[in-house]
């Protein structure tokens, strides 16, 4: 029976606002790809990201551009050559995984994991603000074991101190989203070390991170904006200690699993990360996150409301998806 492909744009309000070094937003705009075949429907969600030159309209057009190939029965492996890495390929790839699981009656995890997946400790995010605002937001997280802190450049020394004081028992990840400079890096890294920060994510711009190779990284540094696919991971060996793998960057779970394998082979620690989306976007990433050093899959917790049958977040962990959601 012929497959059909469709795409739907959706907006999900954020609980308040979400602020990083590049700006603020009050809603998550996502695209949902649906592939129907023989009475079964597979779904995949992606988040177009301006930082990588993506728009809702452009990504939707890219998804629809492979409609004929999907109708002809193209596989996930063939999709890798039909679309480049990015949000569009992610949505289609994850829809194909979901469709395969529903059509075969076998959960997706059986094709990925050596054993049944388990809940994964995930970071929860503290949005960028004043040191006082961020300290209060950190206290509001309660006793969460892993907290990710968005930074913005000027004033970050005070933000780091305030947040770490507010959560003395949590592991802290600092995410500068490329807002630091080569000049500020040694000082801010020293402050991070003195506050027992566990990880610093993408402190420098992806095009200007050579300084990371020239200093002692007294706190491990994780690549995000400069790490997209398995093919470019080896270029980061002299500058980073960990790699943040996001399905919207790699272009789907298929490519993300290959990137995870390559990053691990090269000796990097691995983080499974996300954009701000619903549980449908996080579900495949929970399978990717099995066995990684870090998980940052709190997108649905940032929203005012998640979709039905969403992932379960409890005691600092996110559980694997049920079949009613994905996979």
């Amino acid at each position: 029976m012929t497959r059909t492909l469709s795409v739907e744009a959706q907006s999900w309000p954020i609980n308040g606002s979400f602020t990083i070094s590049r700006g603020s937003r009050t809603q998550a705009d996502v695209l949902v790809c649906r592939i129907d075949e023989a009475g079964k429907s597979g779904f995949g969600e992606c988040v177009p990201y301006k930082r990588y030159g993506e728009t809702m309209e452009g990504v939707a057009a890219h998804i629809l551009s492979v409609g004929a190939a999907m109708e002809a029965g193209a596989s996930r492996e063939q999709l890798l050559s039909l679309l480049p890495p990015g949000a569009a390929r992610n949505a289609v790839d994850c829809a194909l995984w979901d469709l395969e699981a529903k059509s075969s009656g076998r959960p997706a995890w059986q094709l990925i994991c050596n054993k049944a997946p388990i809940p994964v400790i995930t970071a929860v995010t503290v949005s960028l603000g004043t040191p006082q605002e961020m300290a209060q937001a950190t206290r509001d997280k309660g006793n969460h074991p892993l907290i990710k802190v968005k930074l913005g450049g000027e004033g970050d020394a005070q933000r780091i101190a305030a947040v770490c004081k507010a959560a003395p028992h949590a592991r802290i990840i600092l995410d500068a989203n490329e807002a630091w400079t080569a000049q500020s890096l040694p000082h801010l890294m020293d402050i991070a070390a003195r506050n027992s920060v566990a990880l610093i994510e993408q402190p420098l711009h992806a095009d200007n991170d050579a300084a990371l190779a020239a200093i002692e990284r007294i706190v491990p540094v994780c690549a995000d904006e400069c790490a997209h696919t398995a093919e470019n991971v080896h270029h980061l060996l002299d500058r980073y200690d960990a790699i943040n793998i996001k399905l919207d960057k790699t272009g789907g779970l298929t490519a993300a699993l290959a990137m995870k394998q390559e990053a691990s082979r090269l000796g990097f620690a691995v983080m499974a990360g996300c954009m701000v989306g619903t549980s449908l976007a996080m579900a495949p990433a929970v399978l990717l996150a099995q066995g990684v050093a870090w998980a940052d899959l709190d997108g649905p917790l940032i929203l005012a409301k998640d979709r039905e049958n969403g992932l379960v977040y409890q005691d600092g962990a996110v559980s694997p998806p049920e079949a009613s959601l994905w996979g």
Side-chain angles (χ1 to χ4, degrees):
M1 184 175 290
T2 302
R3 287 179 185 170
T4 60
L5 177 149
S6 60
V7 62
E8 178 185 357
Q10 299 177 352
S11 291
W12 295 81
I14 287 172
N15 186 15
S17 64
F18 181 70
T19 303
I20 66 173
S21 63
R22 286 188 283 271
S24 299
R25 49 184 163 148
T26 57
Q27 67 182 34
D29 295 320
V30 310
L31 291 167
V32 176
C33 175
R34 173 173 175 167
I35 301 177
D36 295 293
E37 183 180 40
K40 305 292 185 181
S41 299
F43 297 90
E45 178 182 314
C46 71
V47 183
Y49 202 45
K50 291 181 180 179
R51 167 65 178 82
Y52 306 130
E54 296 177 332
T55 65
M56 291 285 284
E57 297 77 13
V59 171
H62 275 111
I63 293 172
L64 293 173
S65 74
V66 297
M70 291 300 107
E71 291 174 6
S75 66
R76 288 184 285 105
E77 289 72 22
Q78 290 170 324
L79 178 64
L80 295 173
S81 62
L82 294 173
L83 285 174
R89 194 172 77 187
N90 177 34
V92 180
D93 178 74
C94 290
L96 286 172
W97 276 100
D98 191 31
L99 179 65
E100 181 177 350
K102 291 174 177 174
S103 299
S104 67
R106 296 180 60 202
W109 69 260
Q110 289 188 357
L111 301 175
I112 298 170
C113 309
N114 294 325
K115 55 185 177 180
I118 62 174
V120 175
I121 295 295
T122 178
V124 292
T125 303
V126 172
S127 188
L128 179 62
T130 67
Q132 295 76 19
E133 292 169 341
M134 295 178 71
Q136 184 58 54
T138 301
R139 287 189 287 269
D140 291 344
K141 304 297 182 186
N143 294 319
H144 201 285
L146 183 61
I147 297 174
K148 184 170 181 174
V149 181
K150 293 293 187 179
L151 297 174
E154 185 176 354
D156 279 351
Q158 292 76 23
R159 294 185 180 101
I160 295 169
V163 166
C164 291
K165 183 178 180 181
H169 303 298
R171 291 185 297 162
I172 302 292
I173 300 171
L174 303 179
D175 186 4
N177 286 116
E178 305 178 287
W180 293 3
T181 65
Q183 292 71 35
S184 67
L185 176 65
H187 174 60
L188 291 172
M189 184 172 283
D190 181 64
I191 291 173
R194 285 192 275 117
N195 283 277
S196 300
V197 166
L199 190 70
I200 298 172
E201 189 176 342
Q202 199 66 51
L204 305 179
H205 194 279
D207 295 332
N208 189 32
D209 62 355
L212 290 169
I215 68 167
E216 179 185 4
R217 296 190 296 274
I218 55 177
V219 177
V221 179
C222 180
D224 181 4
E225 281 85 350
C226 63
H228 290 254
T229 67
E231 290 72 25
N232 82 333
V233 172
H234 69 280
H235 295 296
L236 307 175
L237 276 168
D238 63 336
R239 287 162 283 169
Y240 295 94
D241 309 288
I243 300 293
N244 187 348
I245 303 176
K246 296 178 180 177
L247 274 64
D248 279 311
K249 292 189 302 177
T250 64
L253 180 59
T254 302
L257 291 168
M259 186 175 182
K260 177 183 178 181
Q261 182 178 30
E262 179 65 3
S264 298
R265 185 187 72 82
L266 291 171
F268 289 106
V270 173
M271 174 189 289
C274 69
M275 307 301 186
V276 181
T278 77
S279 282
L280 180 58
M282 304 303 119
V286 176
L287 301 186
L288 175 72
Q290 298 297 306
V292 303
W294 312 91
D296 175 28
L297 302 176
D298 68 334
L301 301 180
I302 297 171
L303 303 177
K305 180 182 178 181
D306 193 11
R307 62 177 75 246
E308 292 183 3
N309 303 313
L311 295 172
V312 175
Y313 290 83
Q314 186 175 7
D315 298 328
V318 55
S319 293
E322 298 291 338
S324 56
L325 173 65
W326 182 90

